[in-house]
Structures are given as C-alpha cells and as structure tokens.
C-alpha cells in the first residue's frame, strides 16, 4: 500500500514539475505575433488559392502585415476584400483590377491533328514530358485537363471539342491554370478588356506546316495588322498582339482574319 501511495506522489510531483517547465519554456520561447495578422486573415477570402503569390491565406496575411505584400493582392476576395484589408492596416485601399483566365488556343480536336495515339498517363504534364504533347502542332492544347484539375473555383470545364472552357463568372484570376498548363497557353487578362484576342500561340514560321497541322492556326498572313485602322496590332513572335489603348473595338481585324484566330474577348 505504501508503495502505491509513494508511486502516486512521485507521479504527481513529476507531472507538476513538467507542467512548470512547459510553462516556462512556452514563455521563454514564445514568438510574438502581431494581432493584425489574425485580423487580416479574418477578412480574406479563405480560398488558399495562392493567387496572391503566397502559399496560402496565412502566409499572405503575415506578408501584408510585414509590408511585403500589397493590401489588394487577394484576387479571390476582390474589391471588398482589398478594402477590408486596407482598413485593418489603416491605409488607403486600392482595389485590384479583376482578372480572368484566357486560353490562347482554339485548335479543337476537329481542327488540330494528333501526331500519334497517346498511350501514357492521361495528364498534360505527362504527355508534354514524354512526347512534347499529343498534337501535331507543338504549341497546341493537349486537352487532358490539368487546368481543370488545378482550378480551385470550378471555373474550367473540358468541352466536347477537347478544349478547356473558362467560366468567367466563376474565374477569379488566381493563375492556377497558368501554372498547370505545360504549354503556357493560359494568360490572365483584365476582366473588362474590350477588344480582340488571339486564340493561337503557334510561333512557327512554317506557314505550310501550320496549315497542315491545324486548320484553325494563325499562319502569319498579317491581314489583321494591315486592316487595323488604328494601327493597334503588331505580330510578336508571329502572334497578333493588340494594344488596347489604341484599339477601339471596330472588329476590322476579326473580319479580315481568314481562320477566325481573332475574337472579341
């Protein structure tokens, strides 16, 4: 009986001592956290999408308080979130311009030829690694949906044409699809862009081969450049690039394009 009582006393004493030591260590090694971090975190979208350039909302909140990130960088939260973060930080808020993803390729399975039958893992990344994509056009969309899988907002769906389609209402411009596409076919554009966009990323200079590989590909005829009355288009690496400060949306370039590469955004 004495042994049992002694054991209990020793156990209680050890527990008490360990509790004191843990409390002491917690006080000694405590890391001070600015209360503004939790306040900023509380007004963020909570999407943890990484569109701000940080690993998640927690990392972004810390960066904002440390002065390393802009208060309007939460793309998922939009203008309201930017205003709330600015309010917490006690600064004048500046709303970020909303952006949406755009696929610079319209080479559907009806237009773009496959180079061979692909038997590997059905991901764009795998197909790119093993055979530089599945299309005869080395710049074309592979179509296995890595972008759809990466989108945290269900804003991308794969169509029956073999291409991903972006729902602009759901898209917040987080950029996950941009990073996921091994062909670098997605670009982020300001949601209120008014004017034409080039639905092709083929930079090849072999016009005959372009026509052979994809009937929807830009074959560098330059009609869009010549027909633009505002001189708002130049060919950059063979792709029409539009200066939206000059463009007035007249659509003359769209009418002139023989393969309908240009379309209104």
């Amino acid at each position: 009986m004495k042994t049992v009582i002694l054991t209990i006393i020793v156990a209680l004493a050890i527990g008490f001592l360990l509790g004191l030591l843990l409390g002491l260590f917690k006080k000694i090694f405590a890391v001070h956290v600015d209360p503004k971090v939790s306040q900023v975190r509380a007004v963020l979208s909570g999407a943890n999408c990484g569109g701000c350039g940080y690993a998640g909302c927690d990392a972004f909140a810390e960066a904002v308080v440390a002065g390393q990130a802009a208060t309007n960088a939460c793309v998922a939260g939009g203008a309201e979130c930017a205003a709330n973060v600015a309010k917490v930080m006690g600064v004048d808020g500046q709303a970020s311009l909303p952006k949406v993803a755009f696929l610079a390729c319209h080479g559907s399975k009806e237009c773009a030829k496959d180079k061979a039958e692909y038997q590997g893992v059905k991901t764009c990344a795998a197909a790119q690694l093993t055979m530089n994509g599945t299309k005869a056009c080395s710049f074309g969309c592979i179509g296995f949906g890595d972008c759809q899988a990466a989108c945290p907002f269900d804003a991308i769906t794969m169509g029956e044409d073999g291409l991903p389609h972006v729902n602009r209402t759901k898209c917040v411009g987080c950029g996950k699809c941009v990073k996921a596409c091994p062909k670098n076919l997605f670009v982020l554009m300001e949601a209120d862009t008014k004017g034409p966009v080039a639905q092709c990323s083929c930079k090849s200079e072999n016009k005959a081969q372009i026509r052979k590989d994809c009937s929807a590909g830009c074959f560098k005829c330059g009609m869009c450049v010549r027909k633009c009355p505002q001189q708002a288009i130049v060919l950059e690496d063979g792709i029409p690039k539009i200066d939206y400060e000059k463009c007035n949306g007249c659509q003359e370039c769209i009418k002139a394009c023989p393969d309908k590469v240009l379309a209104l955004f």
Side-chain angles (χ1 to χ4, degrees):
M1 187 66 181
K2 290 182 179 180
T3 303
V4 173
I5 295 174
L6 181 61
T7 301
I8 293 174
I9 293 173
V10 171
L12 289 173
I14 293 174
F16 179 72
L17 179 62
L18 289 175
L20 287 177
L21 289 174
L22 286 173
L24 181 63
F25 290 155
K26 183 179 180 180
K27 187 173 183 179
I28 293 175
F29 297 106
V31 178
H32 174 71
V33 178
D34 192 321
K36 284 187 175 181
V37 173
S38 59
Q39 293 172 21
V40 170
R41 179 65 180 83
V43 299
L44 296 179
S45 67
N48 281 314
C49 62
C52 58
Y54 292 88
C57 293
D58 290 337
F60 174 64
E62 293 176 1
V64 169
V65 175
Q68 299 170 351
T71 57
N72 64 351
C74 178
V75 294
E80 182 179 358
C81 176
N84 290 333
V85 173
K87 184 177 180 180
V88 171
M89 295 302 298
V91 298
D92 292 332
Q94 182 178 4
S96 58
L97 294 174
K99 294 185 177 181
V100 294
F102 167 72
L103 179 73
C105 177
H106 71 148
S108 65
K109 58 185 180 182
E110 289 79 16
C111 301
K113 295 181 179 178
D114 288 334
K115 64 171 68 175
E117 184 178 356
Y118 178 69
Q119 299 291 341
V121 178
K122 294 297 193 295
T123 68
C124 301
Q128 174 66 15
L129 184 64
T130 55
M131 53 187 293
N132 192 31
T134 59
K135 300 289 178 64
C137 172
S138 60
F139 300 92
C141 174
I142 297 171
F144 287 142
D146 288 20
C147 51
Q148 181 183 26
C151 179
F153 301 97
D154 295 324
I156 299 179
T157 55
M158 296 303 300
E160 294 183 0
D161 57 0
L163 295 174
H165 295 266
V166 179
N167 183 326
R168 295 183 188 174
T169 302
K170 293 183 177 181
C171 180
V172 301
C174 71
K176 288 284 189 179
C177 56
V178 177
K179 297 176 182 177
C181 180
K183 291 293 188 182
N184 300 313
L185 294 178
F186 279 97
V187 293
L188 294 180
M189 299 189 63
E190 293 183 5
D192 62 352
T193 298
K194 304 296 181 184
V197 285
Q199 304 176 104
C200 183
S201 295
C202 180
K203 297 179 176 62
S204 172
E205 296 180 358
N206 189 333
K207 297 182 180 181
Q209 190 64 45
I210 293 172
R211 300 293 282 170
K212 180 180 178 181
D213 293 341
C214 179
S215 61
C218 174
F219 62 98
K220 328 307 177 193
C221 67
M223 288 295 292
C224 54
V225 177
R226 294 193 291 273
K227 291 293 184 178
C228 178
Q230 306 300 320
Q231 297 183 331
I233 304 177
V234 295
L235 292 183
E236 190 171 285
D237 293 328
I239 304 300
K241 182 178 180 181
I242 293 84
D243 184 340
Y244 293 107
E245 292 186 359
K246 293 181 179 180
C247 177
N248 64 359
C250 69
Q251 303 185 43
E252 290 300 320
C253 57
I254 295 176
K255 298 173 185 176
C257 181
D259 282 338
K260 307 304 177 185
V261 170
L262 290 169
L264 278 181
F265 184 69

